[in-house]
Amino acid sequence: MRWDEVPTPVEALFPSQDAKERLDDYLTRTLAAADSRVKQGPVMPDLDMAKFRQELVQYDFEAPQPMQALMDWTVAQLEHGTVHMTNGRYFGLFNPAPTFPAQLADRISGCFNPQLASSGSSPVPVALEAHVIGAWARRAGLPPESAGHFTTSGSEANYTALICALTRAEPRFATEGTRAFSGPVAMYTSRECQPAWHKIAHQAGVGRQAVRLVATDGSGRLDANALAGALLEDRRRGVVPVLISPTAGTTGAGMVDPLLACSDIAREHSAWFHVDAAWGGAALCSDRLRAELAGIERADSITIDAHKWLATTMGCGMFITRYPKVLSDAFHVGADFMPSTASSLDPYLNTVQWSRRFLGLRLFLSLAAAGWGGYAAHVERSVAVAAQIQSGLDDLGWQTVNDSRLAVLCVLPPEGSRPVRQIVQRLLAAGRAWAAVAQFEGRDVVRICVTHGETSAEDAATLIAGLEAAR
Ligand SMILES: *Cc1c(COP(=O)(O)O)cnc(C)c1O
């Protein structure tokens, strides 16, 4: 085929400028309308899934279909086919209503589609992400040489921490794997940890048995004495402790493990000290709440998920370390085809990923638009709403069993109520508010987390009334 016989681009994939603007404007209006309906409507999905599946099989991808109708269909399915984190009555897991700047960032990075593997192809995006990471490292009190990168998730960041710990503990781990160690390796966190650690140990090749779930002290926090004891016992048996990872903001109850004591123990045993602050790290924005995370400044590395309390769109974690050299020891590789500036800071030479999306723009735009003060107000507001819910439930005879100073409540109904699991089931069946069942110190509790930046007093009252009606 001659060059001038090559067919014109497929209009559906690459529309004219005019058509793009029309579709864009249409989508903007459609989404705004759907978003405001979602805020008023039920939190739970109310889609007929059988009908949805019938419609779905009709998409056999044989005949092209018009984009506008496809967008209408997609938005309608999402409006009725998910639990709505963007509804102020979602008091759920750490899933936020996303900030608008983060949504705009997704549009911008989608348009330019920069490849963040290398600073050679994406000098500005790579420098911008490094700038944001540096700002968080300083905020956490880490030294100036600290660095890191954005990850798709807290799990990827925690995985990175374990790889760094292994790489620093035994240089031959790079070539020989865990065989290089003098004995089996172990990592330590509490039994209240986020369970992805088990998958991480599996992936990293140390085996799930390497995860030591240290007891808690009755308040949901890791028991530092139990940690010290577990390390001594393991060392005596020839086990090599590589990583100690307390949680700052546990998934179940929003508790902060004793970071200073864990740091002392990690130092004593030359283990890597990682703070999993996936959710709780957001408290660093607030001068009032920062003290809750005292000791985080001693971390060898930190995980913070921007897609949790910092409310960016999904899949935006951060890994921050005071030893960036260990990242390049762990993730370096030779690749002649890469457009490198020979900068050792290239993300593909320092991280798990290769091709990489411009995730950091979400937090850059959110933080630049609101400032630390705006984020402090956001975080402090969640804590105030949680306190309001606590006192409302307290008046009705409910009991809060955790004493998190962050925005998670674990509550029990008054004597004579139904079991917690039934209460939550009935709450969700009614559909007006969402809360979870969790385990706190061995018993079922109703877990309430304030995740939405605009939850109103009325939303809080709806939750309380819903729980009362369900109990
Ligand atoms: C959410 C969470 C994780 C896992 O992060 P993902 O982004 O969901 O992969 C790990 N640790 C804690 C404390 C978390 O809250």
Side-chain angles (χ1 to χ4, degrees):
M1 218 186 279
R2 287 176 29 184
W3 72 268
D4 51 355
E5 288 169 1
V6 175
T8 50
V10 180
E11 174 77 16
L13 299 181
F14 309 103
S16 67
Q17 191 58 33
D18 207 42
K20 280 199 289 195
E21 281 175 19
R22 240 182 316 109
L23 288 169
D24 244 359
D25 289 347
Y26 182 77
L27 181 62
T28 300
R29 284 195 307 275
T30 305
L31 285 177
D35 189 45
S36 62
R37 284 192 301 271
V38 163
K39 286 189 162 66
Q40 305 303 318
V43 187
M44 292 294 281
D46 58 355
L47 190 69
D48 177 348
M49 280 305 285
K51 179 164 168 287
F52 169 75
R53 287 198 191 89
Q54 273 169 15
E55 289 177 22
L56 191 60
V57 293
Q58 283 163 28
Y59 289 92
D60 58 5
F61 313 119
E62 295 299 337
Q65 304 206 16
M67 194 61 221
Q68 188 162 324
L70 285 168
M71 288 196 298
D72 281 341
W73 185 81
T74 306
V75 171
Q77 305 318 298
L78 281 166
E79 184 177 336
H80 297 284
T82 63
V83 174
H84 288 304
M85 283 104 209
T86 56
N87 180 310
R89 284 168 276 114
Y90 176 77
F91 296 94
L93 308 179
F94 295 144
N95 305 309
T99 71
F100 198 60
Q103 297 177 51
L104 298 178
D106 281 344
R107 292 254 353 250
I108 296 171
S109 50
C111 178
F112 288 94
N113 202 29
Q115 165 58 288
L116 269 77
S118 104
S119 58
S121 38
S122 298
V124 162
V126 169
L128 187 146
E129 285 198 344
H131 178 72
V132 178
I133 294 287
W136 278 91
R138 280 196 300 283
R139 195 85 194 168
L142 263 53
E145 65 274 18
S146 303
H149 53 271
F150 281 88
T151 63
T152 56
S153 62
S155 303
E156 183 195 332
N158 284 348
Y159 173 72
T160 302
L162 179 56
I163 298 294
C164 283
L166 290 161
T167 303
R168 188 188 63 168
E170 172 51 70
R172 286 184 300 125
F173 170 71
T175 47
E176 296 168 35
T178 50
R179 284 189 308 277
F181 287 90
S182 61
V185 300
M187 60 153 288
Y188 303 78
T189 178
S190 95
R191 66 174 181 199
E192 288 286 317
C193 76
Q194 210 278 348
W197 279 114
H198 299 287
K199 299 201 284 181
I200 289 166
H202 186 148
Q203 280 168 255
V206 299
R208 291 176 183 238
Q209 276 180 6
V211 181
R212 299 285 190 269
L213 297 180
V214 177
T216 47
D217 61 0
S219 75
R221 298 180 182 86
L222 180 146
D223 180 341
N225 290 326
L227 173 65
L231 274 144
L232 288 176
E233 172 61 15
D234 272 345
R235 297 273 305 264
R236 202 179 53 71
R237 294 189 301 131
V239 171
V240 184
V242 291
L243 173 78
I244 293 178
S245 178
T247 308
T250 57
T251 311
M255 306 307 296
V256 179
D257 289 338
L259 304 182
L260 287 164
C262 289
S263 139
D264 287 340
I265 296 169
R267 195 168 298 169
E268 186 187 332
H269 293 278
S270 307
W272 186 275
F273 177 52
H274 177 73
V275 177
D276 181 2
W279 174 70
L284 290 171
C285 298
S286 156
D287 292 337
R288 237 179 54 212
L289 294 169
R290 197 211 174 288
E292 300 298 322
L293 305 186
I296 198 170
E297 65 284 351
R298 296 205 199 160
D300 292 329
S301 60
I302 304 173
T303 289
I304 302 175
D305 267 348
H307 66 259
K308 287 187 173 163
W309 211 351
L310 298 171
T312 69
T313 46
M314 273 295 160
C316 191
M318 288 185 275
F319 178 81
I320 307 169
T321 178
R322 69 171 64 229
Y323 300 121
K325 164 81 167 50
V326 180
L327 281 172
S328 72
D329 290 345
F331 298 109
H332 71 275
V333 69
D336 295 339
F337 61 88
M338 288 297 284
S340 184
T341 48
S343 153
S344 61
L345 295 176
D346 278 356
Y348 81 100
L349 297 172
N350 291 277
T351 72
V352 173
Q353 297 178 39
W354 198 288
S355 287
R356 169 181 287 279
R357 187 181 163 88
F358 191 10
L359 299 176
L361 185 61
R362 301 164 176 179
L363 186 55
F364 174 82
L365 286 185
S366 301
L367 196 50
W372 293 110
Y375 262 118
H378 164 70
V379 171
E380 288 168 12
R381 183 183 196 279
S382 307
V383 172
V385 173
Q388 187 194 330
I389 294 170
Q390 179 173 357
S391 87
L393 285 171
D394 199 51
D395 291 345
L396 295 166
W398 291 64
Q399 187 197 354
T400 301
V401 293
N402 67 328
D403 71 339
S404 170
R405 254 140 289 164
L406 306 180
V408 182
L409 302 173
C410 293
V411 299
L412 290 174
E415 289 281 328
S417 304
R418 292 167 208 271
V420 161
R421 275 172 200 275
Q422 271 184 36
I423 295 176
V424 171
Q425 256 168 22
R426 287 162 57 88
L427 176 77
L428 301 193
R432 294 300 295 168
W434 203 101
V437 178
Q439 284 264 313
F440 181 73
E441 293 292 353
R443 56 184 167 169
D444 283 350
V445 293
V446 181
R447 177 189 179 281
I448 298 162
C449 178
V450 181
T451 60
H452 196 298
E454 295 173 301
T455 288
S456 63
E458 202 185 324
D459 293 330
T462 303
L463 170 71
I464 294 172
L467 285 170
E468 266 296 281
R471 78 174 174 83

